[in-house]
Amino acid sequence: MTSPPRPDDAHPYLRAASAGIRHHARALAPSDADPARPVDRVHLDVLHAHLTALLQLLDRLADHSRPPHPAAGRHLATAHTRLWQATTEVHAAFHALPGVPQADAETSGCHPERLPEGPPVLTICQRHLAAGHVVRRKTTPTDLRPHTTACVR
């Protein structure tokens, strides 16, 4: 017979993912010796992958908590919608950044267009479309509109 996991032992992979994000955020912070580096498409692609994984987790948590705890399920569903809005903005930012110059792409030994999943630009779009399909099945267009909280003067 096994005892239930202690709170500090619960969900180690989720804790590790959070620690990885905190570490990366600290590493990107500019210091006196090292100036701030510009954001590149690779950062946003990896962040988008993380956000879509969080979307799946929130979706499942909301589904499991909704029957016994409807209020908690509604809050998780709202968090899911807000996370989708953030994921959409990261996807838009990815496409707003300049891509790899063509000369660099031709001279490098790497040919992402030959990858089975397609070039990285298409990979993020495929991931975003797949996540969007799931989100739109459970959410109304009104829910997906960004909510403004700023005061109008």
Side-chain angles (χ1 to χ4, degrees):
M1 181 176 203
T2 61
S3 62
R6 296 183 326 196
D8 59 341
D9 289 332
H11 314 291
Y13 295 113
L14 198 54
R15 283 194 344 253
S18 299
I21 289 175
R22 283 191 305 272
H23 172 75
H24 192 70
R26 282 192 301 268
L28 285 176
S31 66
D32 294 336
D34 189 27
R37 293 175 295 189
V39 174
D40 59 6
R41 282 182 152 192
V42 174
H43 279 108
L44 295 183
D45 185 31
V46 173
L47 179 60
H48 187 270
H50 187 79
L51 290 173
T52 54
L54 281 174
L55 278 169
Q56 290 175 346
L57 177 61
L58 270 175
D59 190 35
R60 289 193 180 111
L61 288 172
D63 286 348
H64 289 283
S65 64
R66 198 171 281 130
H69 307 288
R74 283 192 301 271
H75 283 291
L76 290 171
T78 301
H80 183 266
T81 301
R82 300 297 183 268
L83 185 60
W84 170 249
Q85 292 166 344
T87 304
T88 299
E89 294 302 325
V90 169
H91 181 249
F94 174 89
H95 288 294
L97 289 176
V100 176
Q102 190 64 25
D104 292 344
E106 290 173 0
T107 58
S108 72
C110 178
H111 295 279
E113 68 277 2
R114 296 181 192 160
L115 295 172
E117 66 271 10
V121 173
L122 295 181
T123 304
I124 190 173
C125 292
Q126 290 169 349
R127 184 186 322 119
H128 195 72
L129 288 172
H133 178 72
V134 172
V135 168
R136 285 182 181 89
R137 277 190 327 192
K138 297 183 174 192
T139 318
T140 66
T142 304
D143 291 336
L144 294 177
R145 282 195 207 109
H147 296 278
T148 57
T149 57
C151 294
V152 179
R153 292 183 185 199

